[in-house]
Amino acid sequence: MIVALVVVAAVVGLVLVGAVAWREHRHFVDAEESRRRDDEMHRRHEDEVAESEARLRLSLDAITQGVVMADDAGNVLYRNSYARQFTEARHGEALVEAAVAELLAEASQGRAVEREVELFGPPRRCMFVSAMPLTVEGRDYGSVALIDDITEPQRLDAMRRDFVANISHELRTPMGALSLLAETLAGERDPEVASRLAMRVQAEAIQLSDIMDDLLELSRIESDEASERTLVVVQHVVSDALSRLRPIADEKLVPIEAVLPAFDLLVRADHRQLTSAVFNLLDNAVKYSDAHRPVRVSAQLTGDRVELEVRDHGYGIPLRHQRRIFERFYQVDRSRERTDGGVGLGLAIVRHVATNHGGEVRVDSAEGEGSSFTLVLPVSDEVSEAPPEADEREVPDTVVADVAQPIGAQA
Ligand code: ADP
């Protein structure tokens, strides 16, 4: 009996010890499992943080603006790749880096600050540096500096201002003349003088309307709006430009010769834009030549390009001006008599037409000897099925000849 009791007690003891050991084991396993889960979560969290940090860094590196972050004592903690270029203190760039350091120090005092920094280059650049404190709900997170290249916006702004100033200037002259003429006309009793004054009023009004036309044409061509690309025969463009120019050339007694190939020179282009470009080149050739100095327009195929040349034997353009004559409103000689009422938009139109069509315009000129302007356009290898508005059209006084047989000059 006693033995049995001892055995039972031993068994119970063993069971209890086993249960306790088992519970300990479970605790250990559970704790291990929970630690493993915690570690896993921690690792995942760290991965996520690293991933979003990498994403943030890559995004900051992708922007074309410098970003520099500093702690609340003004010590730099981070720079994106745009801002890093200024740490390699070459030439003027060191000025930007110095401005960033100074502005970050000021921003760490709780003030938003900004400054423009000129880099004299070349090329000349203007940088805008701004810095501000990073404070959220009273808590200070240091400060950030931003660096912007404002060279291009500044240039565009200056161009816009120049453009407005130029237009106002160009319009003021004929407007002033009109007002003066009208005033004189109002008090004029002699009908003959009055009629002469009226003719001058008309001439000034035409001048004004020409300026407006040029401005509208340039803005249309610059934006390339409403342009229509069709298969265009270069000879037809020359014909159209010539028929518009003929009265002007006749009045100035400037003979024009056209030397064009007998086969169709085809380009994919906006007919109206191209005609405007050729007209402007011819108009200048006539405008800047004395009477009886011939102007010649020719076109030829050179490889895969069509070269259309307008050559005159007029005043020519001094070399120092040749680089700038394609700018809007640029005139070599601003006196009205020499420019014959032009405002310096013609060649800007020509250059825009050339670029709109994937081509270019070249100038070759010598003062006192004359000028040659060449419009180069990519030739079209398409075959015109039905030549647009082509063969039936008649253009008076326009001469289209075989290259081998230049046709005679005419005034
Ligand atoms: P404008 O209205 O003054 O003719 P353009 O833009 O057509 O303006 O030409 C700019 C300047 O280039 C002119 O003012 C003129 O001085 C010069 N120029 C252009 N074409 C010729 C040319 N064929 N011969 C001499 N000078 C020219």
Side-chain angles (χ1 to χ4, degrees), residues 214 280-281 284-285 287-288 312 315-317 325 327 330-333 339 341-348 371 373:
D214 274 2
N280 274 297
L281 290 178
N284 280 348
K287 199 157 65 175
Y288 301 110
D312 64 62
Y315 314 145
I317 306 163
I325 49 175
E327 292 172 18
Y330 191 83
Q331 290 181 298
V332 174
D333 183 345
T339 60
V343 287
L345 294 176
L347 289 179
S371 313
F373 284 86

Side-chain angles (χ1 to χ4, degrees), residues 11-316:
V11 168
V12 168
L14 275 174
V15 167
L16 281 174
V17 168
V20 168
W22 173 248
R23 212 184 57 201
E24 285 298 308
H25 174 71
R26 278 304 322 156
H27 271 162
F28 178 74
V29 169
D30 285 352
E32 263 306 291
E33 177 67 12
S34 136
R35 199 155 51 84
R36 205 184 52 74
R37 266 204 308 268
D38 283 355
D39 282 356
E40 177 69 17
M41 267 171 61
H42 188 66
R43 223 180 2 257
R44 215 178 291 155
H45 178 68
E46 273 185 345
D47 283 354
E48 275 170 18
V49 169
E51 211 173 282
S52 57
E53 198 180 302
R55 213 173 284 134
L56 199 65
R57 274 177 192 274
L58 286 172
S59 307
L60 285 169
D61 280 347
I63 59 174
T64 50
Q65 183 185 40
V67 180
V68 185
M69 291 177 201
D71 63 16
D72 47 14
N75 302 311
V76 171
L77 300 173
Y78 169 79
R79 251 179 252 274
N80 71 345
S81 72
Y82 188 93
R84 281 197 289 277
Q85 65 177 295
F86 301 104
T87 54
E88 300 150 12
R90 274 179 301 117
H91 319 293
E93 270 108 60
L95 292 175
V96 176
E97 190 50 22
V100 168
E102 281 171 35
L103 295 190
L104 278 175
E106 283 184 54
S108 65
Q109 309 295 312
R111 276 199 312 276
V113 275
E114 56 189 42
R115 186 184 299 173
E116 273 182 26
V117 183
E118 291 263 352
L119 307 180
F120 291 100
R124 193 196 75 84
R125 284 161 83 194
C126 187
M127 313 302 292
F128 182 77
V129 185
S130 59
M132 65 218 73
L134 294 173
T135 314
V136 181
E137 291 166 1
R139 195 168 157 200
D140 211 355
Y141 291 92
S143 47
V144 64
L146 303 174
I147 310 164
D148 287 286
D149 188 340
I150 54 167
T151 320
E152 190 56 13
Q154 266 194 351
R155 193 183 66 84
L156 291 178
D157 201 38
M159 261 175 68
R160 187 187 51 75
R161 269 185 277 119
D162 281 358
F163 189 64
V164 173
N166 277 318
I167 292 178
S168 323
H169 174 81
E170 296 299 344
L171 295 182
R172 198 180 301 130
T173 318
M175 285 302 282
L178 268 179
S179 145
L180 208 68
L181 284 166
E183 201 182 307
T184 326
L185 189 57
E188 186 54 58
R189 305 242 172 270
D190 182 342
E192 221 174 88
V193 179
S195 145
R196 270 207 308 277
L197 286 172
M199 275 165 70
R200 286 186 55 199
V201 166
Q202 192 190 16
E204 291 298 337
I206 291 173
Q207 161 82 15
L208 256 179
S209 124
D210 284 352
I211 296 175
M212 300 311 292
D213 285 350
D214 274 2
L215 278 170
L216 284 173
E217 185 72 3
L218 179 65
S219 109
R220 240 196 318 263
I221 287 172
E222 270 186 341
S223 62
D224 206 13
E225 82 189 21
S227 79
E228 203 187 306
R229 299 289 190 268
T230 55
L231 215 48
V232 172
V233 180
V234 172
Q235 283 90 335
H236 297 160
V237 170
V238 174
S239 300
D240 289 353
L242 274 176
S243 34
R244 258 178 78 193
L245 187 81
R246 187 70 62 200
I248 306 169
D250 285 353
E251 196 182 325
K252 264 204 86 176
L253 301 174
V254 172
I256 303 179
E257 180 189 31
V259 182
L260 302 164
F263 61 92
D264 282 353
L265 280 175
L266 293 172
V267 289
R268 182 149 281 280
D270 182 279
H271 190 104
R272 189 197 147 108
Q273 282 194 19
L274 226 51
T275 309
S276 174
V278 177
F279 171 81
N280 274 297
L281 290 178
L282 284 166
D283 185 39
N284 280 348
V286 170
K287 199 157 65 175
Y288 301 110
S289 293
D290 285 327
H292 309 297
R293 309 295 264 156
V295 167
R296 182 180 130 125
V297 51
S298 61
Q300 62 177 37
L301 190 61
T302 311
D304 57 356
R305 320 227 103 195
V306 171
E307 295 195 351
L308 191 147
E309 189 199 22
V310 175
R311 177 177 286 277
D312 64 62
H313 301 275
Y315 314 145

